[in-house]
Amino acid sequence: MDLAYLNTYCILKLHLTKLGKQDFRWQTYRCIDVRPREAIQTSPIPETVRFEFYTERDLARLQSKGFSSATGTVIMQKIYSFSDLFSSNIPVLLFDDKPFLIAQAIWQHYQPTHENLLYKGGFKDLLKETVGVFRSNFNFFTFYGESGSGKTELLDVLSKKGEQVLNLEKIANHQGSVFGNLQKIPQPSQETFLLNLAKTLSPFDIQKPIFVESEKLSLGKNIIPLTLIEKFE
């Protein structure tokens, strides 16, 4: 049986149902991140179950010695212990990076009894998908004003009323150029910021207004894509 790949999409790309509604693909798949622990902790993928059970050093040993080695045996024992996640009828979408050894091992073990797919291209291709989201013809309604003038509070009110709101400061864990990160909450990596930003934008109806607060190009260490900044104006 050949390894099954999903060539495009994962968390971000939309598909159309028979009713013409837009849904996230992650509502269709149980998404599992099986990259090395360092990669997951540095740039986690939103809406995924995270398997932080091996390191980059373990992966190097596995490439050198194979699954018959002591390292390979320990990793396979961990894979066997994940059976509960493969017991439902929900198909699994695996995220890994080259050489995809862990994802392939999981696929080979569980595929006979469960539908599993590997996201083809790895983390870099997933980031490329955000570009397509940011290029969408969004209908932004931008609030301008001095810091402390109540723009963020207004966004919160609109959000509670069910309006489409893009709260950039919340996604970046940062309160803008003046207040910064007063609460000392760790900011996401730039990669995770982009994924969360695209995930937030993806379900929005481009025919309806999306309310957003005017921001500079960066919120702390997170940089807002220029494609979006230009649409705010």
Side-chain angles (χ1 to χ4, degrees):
M1 187 178 294
D2 294 332
L3 185 64
Y5 287 99
L6 193 62
N7 291 309
T8 58
Y9 167 65
C10 150
I11 306 287
L12 311 173
K13 195 167 185 180
L14 302 174
H15 70 284
L16 297 177
T17 67
K18 292 181 180 179
L19 296 176
K21 295 181 179 179
Q22 295 175 327
D23 295 309
F24 282 125
R25 279 289 186 90
W26 55 257
Q27 293 175 331
T28 305
Y29 299 95
R30 171 173 286 139
C31 297
I32 302 178
D33 189 350
V34 299
R35 295 175 297 152
R37 180 181 298 137
E38 296 88 344
I40 293 176
Q41 292 180 350
T42 300
S43 297
I45 300 172
E47 305 296 340
T48 58
V49 178
R50 298 163 190 168
F51 283 3
E52 300 181 33
F53 66 96
Y54 73 100
T55 65
E56 291 176 350
R57 185 175 181 181
D58 293 332
L59 182 60
R61 289 173 177 168
L62 189 63
Q63 288 181 268
S64 175
K65 303 294 184 179
F67 280 97
S68 60
S69 65
T71 298
T73 299
V74 171
I75 287 176
M76 287 306 303
Q77 288 174 346
K78 288 287 187 181
I79 290 174
Y80 299 153
S81 70
F82 300 143
S83 58
D84 287 347
L85 289 171
F86 296 86
S87 60
S88 71
N89 293 325
I90 303 174
V92 167
L93 180 58
L94 300 168
F95 295 91
D96 199 359
D97 277 326
K98 293 180 180 180
F100 305 111
L101 290 179
I102 304 302
Q104 291 185 48
I106 293 174
W107 185 90
Q108 289 174 353
H109 179 69
Y110 289 105
Q111 184 62 24
T113 58
H114 195 278
E115 182 183 359
N116 305 296
L117 298 97
L118 172 60
Y119 179 73
K120 191 172 185 178
F123 191 72
K124 290 183 178 179
D125 276 15
L126 183 58
L127 287 175
K128 290 178 182 178
E129 289 200 40
T130 66
V131 177
V133 175
F134 300 147
R135 287 176 176 169
S136 299
N137 191 25
F138 294 114
N139 181 21
F140 287 113
F141 189 99
T142 308
F143 294 135
Y144 293 89
E146 299 293 331
S147 297
S149 61
K151 299 187 298 296
T152 301
E153 289 76 8
L154 182 55
L155 289 180
D156 289 339
V157 171
L158 290 168
S159 179
K160 291 177 181 178
K161 290 185 175 182
E163 299 291 344
Q164 298 184 141
V165 170
L166 178 62
N167 191 330
L168 293 165
E169 294 180 359
K170 183 177 180 180
I171 296 173
N173 288 336
H174 198 275
Q175 292 180 279
S177 58
V178 174
F179 297 104
N181 191 355
L182 295 178
Q183 298 178 345
K184 304 299 182 182
I185 301 174
Q187 285 193 267
S189 68
Q190 177 65 14
E191 292 81 5
T192 297
F193 172 72
L194 293 176
L195 290 174
N196 281 319
L197 182 55
K199 183 179 75 71
T200 301
L201 286 168
S202 291
F204 286 166
D205 185 344
I206 62 175
Q207 302 300 323
K208 297 180 180 180
I210 300 170
F211 298 97
V212 64
E213 180 179 347
S214 176
E215 301 285 359
K216 293 185 177 180
L217 185 60
S218 64
L219 288 165
K221 71 176 185 178
N222 292 145
I223 300 173
I224 304 169
L226 186 59
T227 308
L228 284 183
I229 288 288
E230 292 174 344
K231 295 178 186 294
F232 295 163
E233 299 176 353

